[in-house]
Amino acid sequence: MVASSPADAMLHAPVFVHLRTYGCQMNVLDSEILRGLLAARGFVITADEQAADAVLFNTCSVRDMSERKVLGKLGMLTQARTRRPELVLGVLGCMAELNGDELLRRAPQLDFVCGTNQRQHVPDLLYQALCRRVAVAPVTRHNAAQLERLRLALNGHAPPEPQARIVIGLDAHSTVDERIAVRLQPWRAYVEIMRGCSNFCSYCVVPYARGPEVSRAADDIVAEVEQLVACGCRDVTLLGQNVNSYGKDHGEGSDAFPALLRRLDAIADLCWLRFVTSNPQDISDAMIGALAACKKVCPQIHFPLQSGSDRVLQRMHRRYRCADYLAHVARLRAAVPAMMFSSDFIVGFPGETDADFQATVVAMEQVRFASAFIFKYSPRPRTAAARDFPDDVPTAVKEARHQQLLALQNAHTLAHHQQQVGTRQLVLVDGPSKTNPAMLQGRSAQYFNIVFPGTAQLAGSFAEVCITHATPLTLYGEQLP
Ligand code: SAH
Ligand code: SF4
Ligand code: F3S
């Protein structure tokens, strides 16, 4: 709309929202859905925190460090509030779900909190917080114009209610259309196939932060993927804390997830299909059969082992032994020879001895993961491990084990990368490389990070690249004609 007077321009001035995301892919997807919901209600999403009228944090609680990062940043912004008293601060996601009330008590500078299963209420909560803050912020010479803009933008102009169309996620308040409007990389998408987790691994806060496992209907998932593909998506990653137990909460058997993979594999213009996370305790023959049969399912699996010691696995409430895990890896490799494995590991779990740790080293040597995330154990409130076991591995030992596994993993990653030198790789291009904008960056089917010279117009399309050299982080190559 063209403004006809300065007052009119103010009336239609947008309200800017900056949303910061911490944590796992679930949060990345929740943030995308939130941006869609907010945009549909008339808010303007900005990458510029300084220009924002509201800064929202989509938070993670999985380790103490994850929470401290958010609290540190929140403290900095609270100081910024002295200069901009109208700035609204909101905490969403796992920290809000677990500790929302306490956060509000301990950080009165927070305007609102909203837990993981309430995301559809964020636009309303934000709107109310903006109205409250405009009313209470003391007017200074610096913020008078900005306050007036907010006042005019909000006064009696509640953004319109969203229309419910195709349901995304598990609530009826967001739609694929809204989400598609804000996607920055239309060629890749996460799709939630289930929320929550009912596994209660003894160290893990996720079942408390996300609630029990709830699967979405397969028809809804297929409809969502079809719509994303119609809008140019080529690479879909299905999300769930344990995709192998998809459908079990509805009484379905272990073939529910493989059946879903087969349906999605049949979508014509979808090129690549991935999923995360696959818990070793629930992997089935039907699943392995589907991986071999579905040509679009990428030869890459995140398959977290956590520890190579059966004693530790048992205390972690992981329901497999290391030998079971290795047998699954062998069967997966037999079914899909190109399969690349990645894993998560926790070092310094309570009671972990040198022998336990050594068992993890041996398992890593046996599997030779393409990549792995290695974490130092962090006791989390409410979890069984924090309740039942003292955090007794000394910090220096945790640190030394962490460094040892990181070094081993780096060597394995580099070896995998070096094996790719001389091969041709199909790459879905994401755009200019972040570290060297003169080059393009993309991902292969096996999720290798590939960098090569090319023009930015290639973003979102496939390129064939011959790999010329490798580092622990990246494969470099030349585009083939
Ligand atoms: N659902 C996934 C994991 C989600 S959490 C799975 O079962 O594999 C991601 C990773 O964080 C976990 O795999 C684990 O390695 C790590 N993690 C979770 N809780 C932790 C804690 N208390 N301390 C250290 N690492 C933890
Ligand atoms: Fe946490 Fe275990 Fe659930 Fe994964 S499966 S989210 S590690 S409780
Ligand atoms: Fe963190 Fe919540 Fe994910 S605790 S790891 S953002 S589910």
Side-chain angles (χ1 to χ4, degrees), residues 228-247:
L228 286 162
V229 168
C231 293
C233 183
R234 298 292 171 261
D235 186 1
V236 164
T237 302
L238 307 176
L239 298 186
Q241 295 296 349
N242 177 9
V243 295
N244 298 336
S245 64
Y246 169 76

Side-chain angles (χ1 to χ4, degrees), residues 62-63 203-204 206 241 277 279 304 306 318 344-346 375-378 380:
V62 78
R63 283 167 292 277
Y203 50 81
C204 185
V206 171
Q241 295 296 349
T277 295
N279 191 316
Q306 310 294 356
R318 300 285 288 187
D344 294 344
F345 290 98
I346 298 177
F375 305 107
K376 289 179 269 186
Y377 172 68
S378 163
R380 306 310 294 136

Side-chain angles (χ1 to χ4, degrees), residues 71-251:
L71 294 173
K73 183 71 192 166
L74 195 58
M76 280 161 63
L77 279 174
T78 306
Q79 287 165 14
R81 172 84 63 66
T82 351
R83 278 177 285 116
R84 294 189 286 155
E86 73 291 356
L87 180 66
V88 163
L89 299 175
V91 168
L92 324 173
C94 294
M95 278 174 80
E97 183 77 33
L98 286 165
N99 272 326
D101 291 344
E102 200 193 325
L103 267 174
L104 281 175
R105 244 196 334 275
R106 282 183 31 196
Q109 66 274 26
L110 259 183
D111 290 285
F112 71 99
V113 296
C114 182
T116 48
N117 290 321
Q118 307 290 320
R119 67 185 176 202
Q120 71 276 16
H121 300 305
V122 168
D124 282 335
L125 289 167
L126 175 58
Y127 177 69
Q128 288 159 10
L130 282 159
C131 294
R132 274 200 309 276
R133 194 147 277 290
V134 167
V136 301
V139 181
T140 65
R141 196 159 51 86
H142 296 295
N143 73 359
Q146 208 177 353
L147 272 181
E148 188 56 17
R149 177 172 69 72
L150 269 183
R151 207 171 261 136
L152 289 170
L154 293 172
N155 189 18
H157 285 79
E161 281 296 317
Q163 309 280 309
R165 289 174 293 246
I166 294 178
V167 177
I168 210 177
L170 294 165
D171 57 64
H173 298 267
S174 52
T175 72
V176 175
D177 291 354
E178 285 158 4
R179 178 183 162 198
I180 281 171
V182 297
R183 283 164 42 71
L184 296 176
Q185 291 191 333
W187 50 94
R188 287 193 208 281
Y190 288 134
V191 171
E192 182 176 61
I193 65 165
M194 57 216 289
R195 277 183 89 74
C197 182
S198 304
N199 283 294
F200 293 94
C201 300
S202 66
Y203 50 81
C204 185
V205 83
V206 171
Y208 308 94
R210 294 265 164 182
E213 201 167 277
V214 182
S215 302
R216 285 177 72 192
D219 287 348
D220 290 350
I221 298 167
V222 173
E224 183 178 334
V225 174
E226 280 172 345
Q227 195 171 350
L228 286 162
V229 168
C231 293
C233 183
R234 298 292 171 261
D235 186 1
V236 164
T237 302
L238 307 176
L239 298 186
Q241 295 296 349
N242 177 9
V243 295
N244 298 336
S245 64
Y246 169 76
K248 289 186 186 165
D249 53 308
H250 297 314

Side-chain angles (χ1 to χ4, degrees), residues 268-287:
D269 289 331
L270 177 65
C271 300
W272 287 344
L273 184 57
R274 313 171 194 272
F275 49 86
V276 72
T277 295
S278 183
N279 191 316
Q281 76 200 22
D282 292 309
I283 197 137
S284 64
D285 289 341
M287 163 81 170

Side-chain angles (χ1 to χ4, degrees), residues 209-475:
R210 294 265 164 182
E213 201 167 277
V214 182
S215 302
R216 285 177 72 192
D219 287 348
D220 290 350
I221 298 167
V222 173
E224 183 178 334
V225 174
E226 280 172 345
Q227 195 171 350
L228 286 162
V229 168
C231 293
C233 183
R234 298 292 171 261
D235 186 1
V236 164
T237 302
L238 307 176
L239 298 186
Q241 295 296 349
N242 177 9
V243 295
N244 298 336
S245 64
Y246 169 76
K248 289 186 186 165
D249 53 308
H250 297 314
E252 292 177 71
S254 57
D255 52 356
F257 184 62
L260 178 66
L261 284 180
R262 287 173 192 267
R263 281 183 71 180
L264 297 173
D265 192 56
I267 296 177
D269 289 331
L270 177 65
C271 300
W272 287 344
L273 184 57
R274 313 171 194 272
F275 49 86
V276 72
T277 295
S278 183
N279 191 316
Q281 76 200 22
D282 292 309
I283 197 137
S284 64
D285 289 341
M287 163 81 170
I288 295 177
L291 297 189
C294 296
K295 294 301 162 222
K296 294 177 182 173
V297 176
C298 294
Q300 167 251 315
I301 188 168
H302 188 59
F303 201 48
L305 173 57
Q306 310 294 356
S307 167
S309 156
D310 288 344
R311 205 180 64 91
V312 174
L313 287 172
Q314 200 178 21
R315 286 153 64 95
M316 287 178 162
H317 298 173
R318 300 285 288 187
R319 296 170 191 85
Y320 52 85
R321 290 165 306 154
C322 185
D324 304 325
Y325 181 92
L326 296 173
H328 295 322
V329 168
R331 287 195 300 151
L332 283 160
R333 280 196 169 131
V336 184
M339 187 69 89
M340 285 290 155
F341 290 83
S342 59
S343 179
D344 294 344
F345 290 98
I346 298 177
V347 295
F349 187 77
E352 185 189 63
T353 61
D354 283 341
D356 292 321
F357 175 67
Q358 206 46 45
T360 302
V361 172
V362 170
M364 268 178 101
E365 296 276 17
Q366 282 172 303
V367 180
R368 297 180 71 83
F369 295 97
S371 65
F373 294 102
I374 298 155
F375 305 107
K376 289 179 269 186
Y377 172 68
S378 163
R380 306 310 294 136
R382 300 192 211 187
T383 60
R387 189 189 61 223
D388 297 342
F389 309 128
D391 182 18
D392 57 1
V393 177
T395 308
V397 175
K398 276 187 194 169
E399 185 56 41
R401 290 177 184 170
H402 189 230
Q403 290 302 329
Q404 189 179 334
L405 287 197
L406 284 176
L408 184 58
Q409 184 53 52
N410 279 345
H412 290 166
T413 302
L414 180 61
H416 279 291
H417 282 182
Q418 280 165 341
Q419 273 173 4
Q420 310 306 317
V421 173
T423 63
R424 291 169 160 229
Q425 300 279 340
L426 193 61
V427 179
L428 180 53
V429 181
D430 286 316
S433 155
K434 287 202 183 74
T435 46
N436 180 357
M439 308 278 268
L440 291 177
Q441 180 275 337
R443 294 279 180 176
S444 66
Q446 288 166 311
Y447 216 61
F448 287 125
N449 181 34
I450 297 180
V451 169
F452 64 100
T455 53
Q457 292 96 299
L458 272 182
S461 55
F462 285 95
E464 217 180 347
V465 174
C466 177
I467 305 303
T468 51
H469 68 284
T471 69
L473 293 178
T474 309
L475 298 176

